[in-house]
């Protein structure tokens, strides 16, 4: 098991530690997670009072046998065909949740595109460019980080592509 840095031991997540170490400007938003809420992303948007178009969910998909991270607005859904195309693949399907958790090091509903155990190829929906800042999971349910889409794309080496559907 990897040793936790002092920042992680003091309550930070791998995502917030990665942002801090990169020197990127970000804001942490914490809220009380309701396990009965039907949608993690919609719950985050409601709790923070942020438009669902600015809150992005992190989904893990299998594209031709390789795991890929898709970051799309919670207000819509992921277009699997567009995701496959964005990474030069033919077929995409949602990844097995247990495999996604084991690979990223995060639990479902708290998977962050940042600070993953194993860095996966990442595709950020192109709509992110239309916002000054967006919110993504900070690595656990009830915790989000707000940052510029440009910084997110840079830190994750993300491809920007229209992978979301309204």
């Amino acid at each position: 098991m990897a040793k936790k840095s002092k920042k992680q031991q003091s309550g930070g997540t791998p995502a917030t530690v990665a942002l801090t170490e990169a020197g990127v400007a970000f804001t942490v938003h914490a809220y009380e997670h309701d396990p009965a809420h039907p949608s993690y992303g919609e719950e985050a948007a409601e709790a923070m009072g942020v438009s669902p178009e600015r809150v992005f969910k992190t989904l893990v998909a299998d594209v031709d046998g390789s795991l890929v991270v898709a970051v799309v607005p919670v207000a819509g859904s992921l277009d699997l065909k567009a995701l496959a195309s964005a990474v030069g693949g033919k077929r995409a399907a949602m990844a097995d949740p247990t495999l996604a958790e084991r690979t990223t090091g995060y639990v479902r509903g708290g998977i962050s595109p940042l600070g993953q155990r194993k860095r996966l190829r990442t595709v950020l929906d192109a709509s992110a460019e239309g916002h000054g800042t967006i919110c993504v999971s900070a690595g656990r349910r009830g915790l989000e980080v707000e940052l510029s889409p440009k910084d997110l794309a840079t830190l994750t080496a993300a491809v920007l592509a229209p992978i979301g559907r309204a």
Side-chain angles (χ1 to χ4, degrees), residues 90-135:
K90 293 183 180 173
R91 273 196 48 198
M94 294 307 297
D96 172 71
T98 303
L99 179 60
E101 289 179 344
R102 195 170 44 239
T103 304
T104 64
Y106 294 117
V107 298
R108 200 167 66 111
I111 294 178
S112 177
L114 300 156
Q116 295 176 356
R117 182 177 291 150
K118 179 181 178 193
R119 189 170 180 167
L120 300 173
R121 287 179 73 184
T122 302
V123 182
L124 175 60
D125 185 64
S127 69
E129 291 182 300
H131 305 287
T133 60
I134 61 171
C135 298

Side-chain angles (χ1 to χ4, degrees), residues 47-114:
M48 295 185 304
V50 175
S51 162
E53 288 78 19
R54 280 189 49 231
V55 179
F56 283 63
K57 56 190 169 187
T58 305
L59 303 171
V60 181
D62 179 314
V63 179
D64 298 335
S66 295
L67 294 182
V68 175
V69 170
V71 184
V72 297
V74 301
S77 61
L78 172 62
D79 181 336
L80 288 165
K81 195 172 207 174
L83 175 65
S85 177
V87 295
K90 293 183 180 173
R91 273 196 48 198
M94 294 307 297
D96 172 71
T98 303
L99 179 60
E101 289 179 344
R102 195 170 44 239
T103 304
T104 64
Y106 294 117
V107 298
R108 200 167 66 111
I111 294 178
S112 177
L114 300 156

